[in-house]
mmCIF file of all heavy atoms in Angstrom:
data_model
loop_
_atom_site.group_PDB
_atom_site.id
_atom_site.type_symbol
_atom_site.label_atom_id
_atom_site.label_comp_id
_atom_site.label_asym_id
_atom_site.label_seq_id
_atom_site.Cartn_x
_atom_site.Cartn_y
_atom_site.Cartn_z
ATOM 1 N N HIS L 23 3.195 -8.311 -5.551
ATOM 2 C CA HIS L 23 1.800 -8.122 -5.832
ATOM 3 C C HIS L 23 1.482 -6.578 -5.734
ATOM 4 O O HIS L 23 0.758 -6.106 -6.611
ATOM 5 C CB HIS L 23 0.949 -8.877 -4.767
ATOM 6 C CG HIS L 23 -0.463 -8.850 -5.010
ATOM 7 N ND1 HIS L 23 -1.101 -9.631 -6.057
ATOM 8 C CD2 HIS L 23 -1.507 -8.427 -4.451
ATOM 9 C CE1 HIS L 23 -2.292 -9.395 -6.032
ATOM 10 N NE2 HIS L 23 -2.690 -8.614 -5.033
ATOM 11 N N ARG L 24 1.952 -5.874 -4.798
ATOM 12 C CA ARG L 24 1.726 -4.385 -4.594
ATOM 13 C C ARG L 24 2.348 -3.701 -5.727
ATOM 14 O O ARG L 24 1.979 -2.406 -5.906
ATOM 15 C CB ARG L 24 2.102 -3.997 -3.276
ATOM 16 C CG ARG L 24 1.146 -4.477 -2.111
ATOM 17 C CD ARG L 24 1.610 -3.737 -0.928
ATOM 18 N NE ARG L 24 3.061 -3.916 -0.321
ATOM 19 C CZ ARG L 24 3.570 -4.865 0.256
ATOM 20 N NH1 ARG L 24 2.761 -5.911 0.639
ATOM 21 N NH2 ARG L 24 4.817 -4.858 0.596
ATOM 22 N N ALA L 25 3.395 -4.176 -6.389
ATOM 23 C CA ALA L 25 3.891 -3.382 -7.471
ATOM 24 C C ALA L 25 2.950 -3.169 -8.598
ATOM 25 O O ALA L 25 3.125 -2.219 -9.416
ATOM 26 C CB ALA L 25 5.151 -4.181 -8.101
ATOM 27 N N SER L 26 1.904 -3.862 -8.692
ATOM 28 C CA SER L 26 0.910 -3.506 -9.654
ATOM 29 C C SER L 26 -0.105 -2.415 -9.174
ATOM 30 O O SER L 26 -0.640 -2.502 -8.141
ATOM 31 C CB SER L 26 -0.021 -4.793 -9.863
ATOM 32 O OG SER L 26 -1.296 -4.593 -10.514
ATOM 33 N N PRO L 27 -0.176 -1.342 -9.987
ATOM 34 C CA PRO L 27 -0.899 -0.279 -9.519
ATOM 35 C C PRO L 27 -2.434 -0.598 -9.281
ATOM 36 O O PRO L 27 -2.980 0.046 -8.393
ATOM 37 C CB PRO L 27 -0.877 0.829 -10.776
ATOM 38 C CG PRO L 27 0.316 0.321 -11.537
ATOM 39 C CD PRO L 27 0.477 -1.248 -11.231
ATOM 40 N N GLU L 28 -2.989 -1.553 -10.077
ATOM 41 C CA GLU L 28 -4.345 -1.878 -9.780
ATOM 42 C C GLU L 28 -4.418 -2.603 -8.311
ATOM 43 O O GLU L 28 -5.483 -2.408 -7.699
ATOM 44 C CB GLU L 28 -4.860 -2.849 -10.772
ATOM 45 C CG GLU L 28 -4.876 -2.267 -12.193
ATOM 46 C CD GLU L 28 -3.544 -2.545 -13.002
ATOM 47 O OE1 GLU L 28 -2.702 -3.205 -12.381
ATOM 48 O OE2 GLU L 28 -3.483 -2.162 -14.151
ATOM 49 N N CYS L 29 -3.495 -3.449 -7.990
ATOM 50 C CA CYS L 29 -3.640 -4.085 -6.700
ATOM 51 C C CYS L 29 -3.182 -3.254 -5.548
ATOM 52 O O CYS L 29 -3.584 -3.575 -4.476
ATOM 53 C CB CYS L 29 -2.783 -5.436 -6.745
ATOM 54 S SG CYS L 29 -3.330 -6.442 -8.073
ATOM 55 N N ASN L 30 -2.159 -2.415 -5.847
ATOM 56 C CA ASN L 30 -1.524 -1.581 -4.786
ATOM 57 C C ASN L 30 -2.675 -0.668 -3.880
ATOM 58 O O ASN L 30 -2.485 -0.658 -2.779
ATOM 59 C CB ASN L 30 -0.453 -0.609 -5.189
ATOM 60 C CG ASN L 30 0.159 0.145 -4.234
ATOM 61 O OD1 ASN L 30 -0.404 1.020 -3.626
ATOM 62 N ND2 ASN L 30 1.328 -0.275 -3.954
ATOM 63 N N ALA L 31 -3.645 -0.308 -4.595
ATOM 64 C CA ALA L 31 -4.630 0.611 -3.933
ATOM 65 C C ALA L 31 -5.291 -0.077 -2.706
ATOM 66 O O ALA L 31 -5.466 0.514 -1.683
ATOM 67 C CB ALA L 31 -5.764 0.990 -4.956
ATOM 68 N N CYS L 32 -5.615 -1.412 -2.818
ATOM 69 C CA CYS L 32 -6.099 -2.114 -1.657
ATOM 70 C C CYS L 32 -5.029 -2.778 -0.776
ATOM 71 O O CYS L 32 -4.984 -2.605 0.487
ATOM 72 C CB CYS L 32 -6.896 -3.376 -2.108
ATOM 73 S SG CYS L 32 -8.425 -2.762 -3.021
ATOM 74 N N HIS L 33 -4.142 -3.259 -1.491
ATOM 75 C CA HIS L 33 -3.029 -4.145 -0.736
ATOM 76 C C HIS L 33 -2.034 -3.305 0.060
ATOM 77 O O HIS L 33 -1.464 -3.847 1.084
ATOM 78 C CB HIS L 33 -2.426 -5.152 -1.658
ATOM 79 C CG HIS L 33 -3.344 -6.208 -1.868
ATOM 80 N ND1 HIS L 33 -3.404 -7.389 -1.121
ATOM 81 C CD2 HIS L 33 -4.184 -6.445 -2.852
ATOM 82 C CE1 HIS L 33 -4.466 -8.190 -1.711
ATOM 83 N NE2 HIS L 33 -4.839 -7.587 -2.741
ATOM 84 N N GLN L 34 -1.812 -1.996 -0.210
ATOM 85 C CA GLN L 34 -0.877 -1.272 0.521
ATOM 86 C C GLN L 34 -1.405 -1.076 1.994
ATOM 87 O O GLN L 34 -0.662 -0.833 2.928
ATOM 88 C CB GLN L 34 -0.666 0.022 -0.089
ATOM 89 C CG GLN L 34 -1.798 1.028 -0.113
ATOM 90 C CD GLN L 34 -1.493 2.398 -0.759
ATOM 91 O OE1 GLN L 34 -0.325 2.614 -0.875
ATOM 92 N NE2 GLN L 34 -2.541 3.115 -1.039
ATOM 93 N N THR L 35 -2.691 -1.122 2.131
ATOM 94 C CA THR L 35 -3.246 -0.987 3.493
ATOM 95 C C THR L 35 -3.451 -2.373 4.198
ATOM 96 O O THR L 35 -3.127 -2.638 5.235
ATOM 97 C CB THR L 35 -4.509 -0.196 3.475
ATOM 98 O OG1 THR L 35 -5.438 -0.761 2.675
ATOM 99 C CG2 THR L 35 -4.221 1.242 3.160
ATOM 100 N N MET L 36 -4.064 -3.278 3.462
ATOM 101 C CA MET L 36 -4.428 -4.613 4.066
ATOM 102 C C MET L 36 -3.296 -5.520 4.333
ATOM 103 O O MET L 36 -3.279 -6.152 5.407
ATOM 104 C CB MET L 36 -5.234 -5.429 2.939
ATOM 105 C CG MET L 36 -6.630 -4.721 2.687
ATOM 106 S SD MET L 36 -7.718 -5.893 1.715
ATOM 107 C CE MET L 36 -6.665 -6.325 0.333
ATOM 108 N N ASP L 37 -2.205 -5.494 3.564
ATOM 109 C CA ASP L 37 -1.045 -6.369 3.753
ATOM 110 C C ASP L 37 -0.428 -6.099 5.031
ATOM 111 O O ASP L 37 0.094 -6.940 5.809
ATOM 112 C CB ASP L 37 -0.161 -6.322 2.528
ATOM 113 C CG ASP L 37 -0.705 -6.824 1.302
ATOM 114 O OD1 ASP L 37 -1.884 -7.429 1.403
ATOM 115 O OD2 ASP L 37 0.020 -6.776 0.318
ATOM 116 N N VAL L 38 -0.273 -4.932 5.497
ATOM 117 C CA VAL L 38 0.476 -4.384 6.625
ATOM 118 C C VAL L 38 -0.003 -5.148 7.909
ATOM 119 O O VAL L 38 0.766 -5.760 8.693
ATOM 120 C CB VAL L 38 0.424 -2.967 6.910
ATOM 121 C CG1 VAL L 38 1.135 -2.579 8.154
ATOM 122 C CG2 VAL L 38 1.157 -2.299 5.655
ATOM 123 N N ILE L 39 -1.304 -5.162 8.084
ATOM 124 C CA ILE L 39 -1.856 -5.744 9.337
ATOM 125 C C ILE L 39 -1.670 -7.390 9.154
ATOM 126 O O ILE L 39 -1.373 -8.033 10.095
ATOM 127 C CB ILE L 39 -3.332 -5.400 9.575
ATOM 128 C CG1 ILE L 39 -3.400 -3.940 10.016
ATOM 129 C CG2 ILE L 39 -4.041 -6.343 10.637
ATOM 130 C CD1 ILE L 39 -4.723 -3.487 10.142
ATOM 131 N N GLY L 40 -1.940 -7.846 8.001
ATOM 132 C CA GLY L 40 -1.752 -9.361 7.725
ATOM 133 C C GLY L 40 -0.260 -9.771 8.075
ATOM 134 O O GLY L 40 -0.124 -10.783 8.725
ATOM 135 N N LEU L 41 0.639 -8.986 7.527
ATOM 136 C CA LEU L 41 2.080 -9.209 7.914
ATOM 137 C C LEU L 41 2.406 -9.185 9.269
ATOM 138 O O LEU L 41 3.339 -10.004 9.785
ATOM 139 C CB LEU L 41 2.917 -8.448 6.922
ATOM 140 C CG LEU L 41 2.910 -8.866 5.404
ATOM 141 C CD1 LEU L 41 3.693 -7.757 4.591
ATOM 142 C CD2 LEU L 41 3.542 -10.138 5.147
ATOM 143 N N GLY L 42 1.800 -8.273 9.944
ATOM 144 C CA GLY L 42 2.026 -8.164 11.294
ATOM 145 C C GLY L 42 1.503 -9.313 12.165
ATOM 146 O O GLY L 42 2.009 -9.476 13.207
ATOM 147 N N LEU L 43 0.693 -10.076 11.523
ATOM 148 C CA LEU L 43 0.107 -11.286 12.294
ATOM 149 C C LEU L 43 0.816 -12.592 11.652
ATOM 150 O O LEU L 43 0.283 -13.741 12.008
ATOM 151 C CB LEU L 43 -1.341 -11.280 12.232
ATOM 152 C CG LEU L 43 -2.160 -10.189 12.850
ATOM 153 C CD1 LEU L 43 -3.560 -10.159 12.593
ATOM 154 C CD2 LEU L 43 -1.872 -10.200 14.480
ATOM 155 N N GLU L 44 1.657 -12.385 10.753
ATOM 156 C CA GLU L 44 2.175 -13.602 9.925
ATOM 157 C C GLU L 44 2.868 -14.589 10.893
ATOM 158 O O GLU L 44 2.979 -15.827 10.460
ATOM 159 C CB GLU L 44 3.109 -13.152 8.876
ATOM 160 C CG GLU L 44 3.472 -14.240 7.858
ATOM 161 C CD GLU L 44 4.483 -13.904 6.898
ATOM 162 O OE1 GLU L 44 4.852 -12.828 6.846
ATOM 163 O OE2 GLU L 44 4.742 -14.797 6.017
ATOM 164 N N ASN L 45 3.248 -14.310 12.027
ATOM 165 C CA ASN L 45 3.837 -15.288 12.903
ATOM 166 C C ASN L 45 3.020 -16.364 13.335
ATOM 167 O O ASN L 45 3.283 -17.378 13.864
ATOM 168 C CB ASN L 45 4.495 -14.613 14.193
ATOM 169 C CG ASN L 45 5.807 -13.967 13.996
ATOM 170 O OD1 ASN L 45 6.036 -12.829 14.187
ATOM 171 N ND2 ASN L 45 6.806 -14.839 13.541
ATOM 172 N N TYR L 46 1.628 -16.130 13.057
ATOM 173 C CA TYR L 46 0.609 -17.037 13.441
ATOM 174 C C TYR L 46 0.014 -17.873 12.194
ATOM 175 O O TYR L 46 -0.333 -17.039 11.258
ATOM 176 C CB TYR L 46 -0.514 -16.398 14.264
ATOM 177 C CG TYR L 46 -0.026 -15.770 15.490
ATOM 178 C CD1 TYR L 46 0.297 -14.513 15.527
ATOM 179 C CD2 TYR L 46 0.164 -16.476 16.633
ATOM 180 C CE1 TYR L 46 0.886 -13.849 16.757
ATOM 181 C CE2 TYR L 46 0.665 -15.924 17.704
ATOM 182 C CZ TYR L 46 1.063 -14.612 17.769
ATOM 183 O OH TYR L 46 1.672 -14.114 18.907
ATOM 184 N N ASP L 47 0.074 -19.159 12.119
ATOM 185 C CA ASP L 47 -0.504 -19.848 11.024
ATOM 186 C C ASP L 47 -2.021 -19.929 11.023
ATOM 187 O O ASP L 47 -2.545 -19.271 11.880
ATOM 188 C CB ASP L 47 0.257 -21.224 10.897
ATOM 189 C CG ASP L 47 -0.180 -22.204 11.995
ATOM 190 O OD1 ASP L 47 -1.141 -21.917 12.631
ATOM 191 O OD2 ASP L 47 0.414 -23.300 12.156
ATOM 192 N N ALA L 48 -2.490 -20.678 10.139
ATOM 193 C CA ALA L 48 -3.963 -20.655 9.896
ATOM 194 C C ALA L 48 -4.703 -21.113 11.077
ATOM 195 O O ALA L 48 -5.897 -20.786 11.301
ATOM 196 C CB ALA L 48 -4.229 -21.600 8.699
ATOM 197 N N ILE L 49 -4.076 -21.905 11.979
ATOM 198 C CA ILE L 49 -4.721 -22.363 13.312
ATOM 199 C C ILE L 49 -4.269 -21.574 14.472
ATOM 200 O O ILE L 49 -4.621 -22.087 15.558
ATOM 201 C CB ILE L 49 -4.645 -23.919 13.396
ATOM 202 C CG1 ILE L 49 -3.169 -24.324 13.462
ATOM 203 C CG2 ILE L 49 -5.337 -24.638 12.227
ATOM 204 C CD1 ILE L 49 -3.011 -25.744 13.951
ATOM 205 N N GLY L 50 -3.470 -20.644 14.302
ATOM 206 C CA GLY L 50 -3.048 -19.808 15.444
ATOM 207 C C GLY L 50 -1.836 -20.260 16.174
ATOM 208 O O GLY L 50 -1.460 -19.587 17.188
ATOM 209 N N GLU L 51 -1.055 -21.228 15.597
ATOM 210 C CA GLU L 51 0.048 -21.707 16.179
ATOM 211 C C GLU L 51 1.210 -20.784 15.812
ATOM 212 O O GLU L 51 1.359 -20.277 14.650
ATOM 213 C CB GLU L 51 0.528 -23.032 15.598
ATOM 214 C CG GLU L 51 1.736 -23.663 16.276
ATOM 215 C CD GLU L 51 1.890 -25.088 15.875
ATOM 216 O OE1 GLU L 51 0.963 -25.720 15.327
ATOM 217 O OE2 GLU L 51 3.027 -25.572 16.136
ATOM 218 N N PHE L 52 2.059 -20.318 16.801
ATOM 219 C CA PHE L 52 3.072 -19.358 16.599
ATOM 220 C C PHE L 52 4.311 -20.147 15.820
ATOM 221 O O PHE L 52 4.495 -21.285 16.012
ATOM 222 C CB PHE L 52 3.669 -18.958 17.895
ATOM 223 C CG PHE L 52 4.681 -17.801 17.797
ATOM 224 C CD1 PHE L 52 4.286 -16.560 17.610
ATOM 225 C CD2 PHE L 52 6.037 -18.057 17.851
ATOM 226 C CE1 PHE L 52 5.175 -15.486 17.467
ATOM 227 C CE2 PHE L 52 7.052 -17.051 17.600
ATOM 228 C CZ PHE L 52 6.530 -15.793 17.539
ATOM 229 N N ARG L 53 4.819 -19.424 14.813
ATOM 230 C CA ARG L 53 6.051 -19.743 14.021
ATOM 231 C C ARG L 53 6.830 -18.592 13.674
ATOM 232 O O ARG L 53 6.450 -17.483 13.827
ATOM 233 C CB ARG L 53 5.486 -20.448 12.683
ATOM 234 C CG ARG L 53 4.727 -19.406 11.902
ATOM 235 C CD ARG L 53 3.973 -19.911 10.803
ATOM 236 N NE ARG L 53 3.371 -18.769 10.032
ATOM 237 C CZ ARG L 53 3.118 -18.827 8.732
ATOM 238 N NH1 ARG L 53 3.566 -19.851 7.945
ATOM 239 N NH2 ARG L 53 2.538 -17.849 8.092
ATOM 240 N N THR L 54 8.147 -18.939 13.505
ATOM 241 C CA THR L 54 9.136 -17.907 13.180
ATOM 242 C C THR L 54 9.537 -18.080 11.692
ATOM 243 O O THR L 54 10.137 -17.128 11.213
ATOM 244 C CB THR L 54 10.399 -18.168 14.051
ATOM 245 O OG1 THR L 54 11.002 -19.371 13.894
ATOM 246 C CG2 THR L 54 10.126 -17.852 15.518
ATOM 247 N N MET L 55 9.277 -19.188 11.056
ATOM 248 C CA MET L 55 9.618 -19.346 9.620
ATOM 249 C C MET L 55 8.303 -19.558 8.822
ATOM 250 O O MET L 55 7.402 -20.238 9.265
ATOM 251 C CB MET L 55 10.504 -20.631 9.443
ATOM 252 C CG MET L 55 11.678 -20.664 10.503
ATOM 253 S SD MET L 55 12.861 -19.338 9.939
ATOM 254 C CE MET L 55 13.806 -20.027 8.624
ATOM 255 N N ASP L 56 8.259 -19.076 7.675
ATOM 256 C CA ASP L 56 7.187 -19.325 6.768
ATOM 257 C C ASP L 56 7.213 -20.590 6.008
ATOM 258 O O ASP L 56 8.117 -21.439 6.212
ATOM 259 C CB ASP L 56 7.009 -18.132 5.833
ATOM 260 C CG ASP L 56 8.007 -18.081 4.708
ATOM 261 O OD1 ASP L 56 8.892 -18.980 4.523
ATOM 262 O OD2 ASP L 56 8.197 -17.023 4.076
ATOM 263 N N ALA L 57 6.209 -20.895 5.176
ATOM 264 C CA ALA L 57 6.112 -22.182 4.460
ATOM 265 C C ALA L 57 7.428 -22.455 3.566
ATOM 266 O O ALA L 57 7.734 -23.603 3.265
ATOM 267 C CB ALA L 57 4.884 -22.154 3.661
#
């Protein structure tokens, strides 16, 4: 997604924090594997 220049401007900053919290699913349960 970030490979697109139009999307990279926003997502290069937003995605980092989201990925840092990815171990927690939508209801806050800890997980080690994604969907």
Side-chain angles (χ1 to χ4, degrees):
H23 186 72
R24 286 189 308 274
S26 167
E28 297 91 357
C29 298
N30 185 284
C32 295
H33 286 273
Q34 70 179 344
T35 57
M36 293 188 310
D37 292 353
V38 174
I39 292 176
L41 289 169
L43 299 171
E44 192 183 0
N45 280 123
Y46 301 94
D47 68 11
I49 60 169
E51 187 173 343
F52 188 83
R53 61 191 181 146
T54 57
M55 306 297 277
D56 68 12

